[in-house]
Amino acid sequence: MKKVICFFICVCFMMQSVVVFAEGNTDLGLNAKSAILMEESTGNILYESNPDERLPIASVTKVMTMLLIMEAVDSGKISLDDMVTVSENAMSYGGSTMFLETGEQLTVNDMLKGIAVASANDGCVAMAEHLAGSESAFVDMMNEKAKELGMENTHFMNTNGLDEDDHYSSARDVAIMSRELMKHETIFNYTSIWMDTLRGGKFQLANTNKLIRFYDGANGLKTGSTSKALCCLSAAAKRNDMQLIAVVLGAPTSAERFASAKSLLDYGFANYAVNTQITAGDEVQKIAVEKGVDKEVGVVAGDSCSTLVKKGQEDNITKEIKIDETITAPIEAGQKIGTMTISRDGEVIADIDLNASSTVEKKGIGLIIKDFFATIFFGSNNDTEENSEI
């Protein structure tokens, strides 16, 4: 009898293990060395396969190059209209190029087009020299940024991804830097281009990322292929306010690279949704202000928060608002005056600053005296205002 019971327990355990394994290992039929699917707003991973192996990533490297360019643009260090002069070194790079000539000048805007759409190796070097003085100095910046972002399995040796020893990344790290690049929304003006021109229409551009033309919602991000890296892709697509990032590394052919990315994106859009809990600037409530020219001020969210939910499952969200008990003028627009704590099933997922929507100046002595006498003779400030209109 004991043997029967033990056998039954073992069988049940094995069945349970098989169910857990099946639930945690969805087969998407990918043909690649490594892959990952990330939801952009939360950073949540929806699918992964060997995501941390260090692999060559070819021109997907240019995600980091574009990130540093966009940081320089958005910080005001450079502008999209700045002219970039091409050096002999930049002109000498082969592979995918925008056929730059030594001494030629193009705007940062045109360089970004060449890099994002045509995967221009020469454009990457020209921009690196423009921003850092030399490509090697720019590569140091790339590695420093990778460290800052927590990209533990990444090391860059060049700006464009040409095969070189000790130049590698991982699917997870590519997703991380892709997500960071997408915070600079202007980049989509380039990565979503299907066809365009440069040099007054004399040079045709066609996007190396075929999903831009053939996949609903595709808006980026970067392809790459070399004999060592095989075919790689960081693909981005957005539907119904959900932005996904699908990374495929080491696919044997270009067609299989795009097919794998499409399978990842299809899986994400079919099974998950993003619920917006609060958007930066949304007014939560109004609150009274003591000693202020205005009697109240709006309370607005200082940041946004979204939650990822599997379709068909309840998103059990609670929001707790804490406002400072006493709000006294003067108050500056944007001043923090409280916090919204957003929790799922009792676990805190975000603390959002709540800020004043506008500036409230402190009452001057004249207005304080006026309000004092109004209170004595009319009972309230509101009565004073109503009598003055009669």
Side-chain angles (χ1 to χ4, degrees):
M1 186 65 182
K2 289 181 179 179
K3 290 182 178 180
V4 172
I5 293 172
C6 289
F7 176 77
F8 179 75
I9 291 172
C10 289
V11 169
C12 290
F13 178 78
M14 290 172 66
M15 290 177 64
Q16 183 181 27
S17 299
V18 170
V19 171
V20 172
F21 179 84
E23 289 178 346
N25 293 272
T26 303
D27 183 9
L28 299 183
L30 308 183
N31 190 3
K33 292 181 179 179
S34 177
I36 201 166
L37 178 66
M38 176 186 284
E39 193 282 312
E40 183 269 338
S41 67
T42 62
N44 287 351
I45 303 302
L46 310 187
Y47 179 92
E48 59 183 28
S49 174
N50 190 31
D52 297 312
E53 183 180 356
R54 295 178 174 183
L55 296 168
I57 61 170
S59 286
V60 175
T61 297
K62 291 165 181 144
V63 169
M64 180 60 82
T65 301
M66 291 189 290
L67 170 57
L68 294 184
I69 295 170
M70 292 310 304
E71 285 186 340
V73 170
D74 287 347
S75 69
K77 181 179 179 180
I78 62 173
S79 80
L80 293 173
D81 295 326
D82 285 353
M83 301 302 296
V84 179
T85 303
V86 180
S87 70
E88 184 175 353
N89 177 53
M91 184 273 294
S92 69
Y93 276 75
S96 299
T97 73
M98 52 197 295
F99 298 98
L100 296 176
E101 297 289 342
T102 303
E104 182 180 12
Q105 289 189 319
L106 291 175
T107 63
V108 172
N109 178 71
D110 285 348
M111 288 291 187
L112 274 169
K113 277 188 188 179
I115 295 168
V117 181
S119 195
N121 296 328
D122 49 358
C124 289
V125 177
M127 282 304 307
E129 292 173 342
H130 183 73
L131 279 170
S134 68
E135 183 181 18
S136 62
F138 189 85
V139 171
D140 288 341
M141 292 168 58
M142 294 169 70
N143 285 315
E144 189 62 33
K145 188 65 181 181
K147 185 185 298 184
E148 177 189 320
L149 294 175
M151 297 166 59
E152 298 179 353
N153 294 298
T154 296
H155 186 263
F156 297 111
M157 293 294 292
N158 57 58
T159 63
N160 41 45
L162 292 172
D163 286 338
E164 194 167 349
D165 290 343
D166 211 28
H167 186 99
Y168 57 81
S169 189
S170 68
R172 190 186 309 278
D173 285 358
V174 170
I176 289 170
M177 68 177 177
S178 297
R179 183 186 185 214
E180 190 70 16
L181 174 59
M182 291 160 66
K183 292 178 181 178
H184 303 271
E185 295 185 3
T186 304
I187 197 62
F188 293 119
N189 294 345
Y190 304 96
T191 61
S192 62
I193 292 171
W194 172 235
M195 298 192 76
D196 207 330
T197 61
L198 292 175
R199 302 181 179 99
K202 296 178 181 178
F203 184 74
Q204 298 288 324
L205 295 174
N207 204 319
T208 56
N209 181 5
K210 305 310 176 188
L211 295 182
I212 295 298
R213 175 67 176 83
F214 299 107
Y215 189 82
D216 180 29
N219 54 6
L221 205 55
K222 192 68 199 72
T223 60
S225 61
T226 65
S227 58
K228 187 176 179 180
L230 302 181
C231 296
C232 306
L233 173 65
S234 178
K238 185 175 184 177
R239 294 181 191 170
N240 299 322
D241 295 327
M242 184 166 72
Q243 177 77 61
L244 297 180
I245 303 165
V247 179
V248 175
L249 301 181
T253 67
S254 180
E256 287 172 297
R257 161 183 62 185
F258 292 122
S260 293
K262 181 178 180 296
S263 293
L264 286 166
L265 295 170
D266 285 347
Y267 171 77
F269 288 126
N271 291 282
Y272 294 89
V274 167
N275 293 337
T276 301
Q277 301 301 331
I278 193 78
T279 301
D282 282 355
E283 184 170 278
V284 175
Q285 63 182 72
K286 292 186 181 295
I287 189 169
V289 179
E290 295 184 5
K291 300 180 181 180
V293 173
D294 299 320
K295 297 176 183 178
E296 61 181 13
V297 68
V299 180
V300 299
D303 205 350
S304 302
C305 177
S306 298
T307 55
L308 187 71
V309 61
K310 194 159 188 178
K311 291 182 178 179
Q313 295 182 0
E314 183 180 0
D315 198 11
N316 187 19
I317 298 294
T318 58
K319 300 174 185 176
E320 181 183 6
I321 295 175
K322 294 180 180 178
I323 304 291
D324 296 345
E325 291 184 5
T326 303
I327 306 297
T328 305
I331 296 172
E332 296 292 330
Q335 179 180 326
K336 181 181 176 181
I337 54 179
T339 304
M340 173 185 286
T341 299
I342 302 175
S343 303
R344 172 189 275 151
D345 296 323
E347 182 179 348
V348 175
I349 57 176
D351 284 313
I352 304 296
D353 286 349
L354 298 178
N355 305 327
S357 62
S358 58
T359 296
V360 179
E361 296 180 358
K362 187 176 181 178
K363 290 180 181 179
I365 186 65
L367 188 55
I368 292 174
I369 294 172
K370 178 182 176 183
D371 288 348
F372 173 75
F373 283 108
T375 301
I376 292 175
F377 291 109
F378 298 103
S380 72
N381 293 344
N382 288 337
D383 291 342
T384 304
E385 292 170 3
E386 289 171 6
N387 290 335
S388 66
E389 292 174 1
I390 296 174

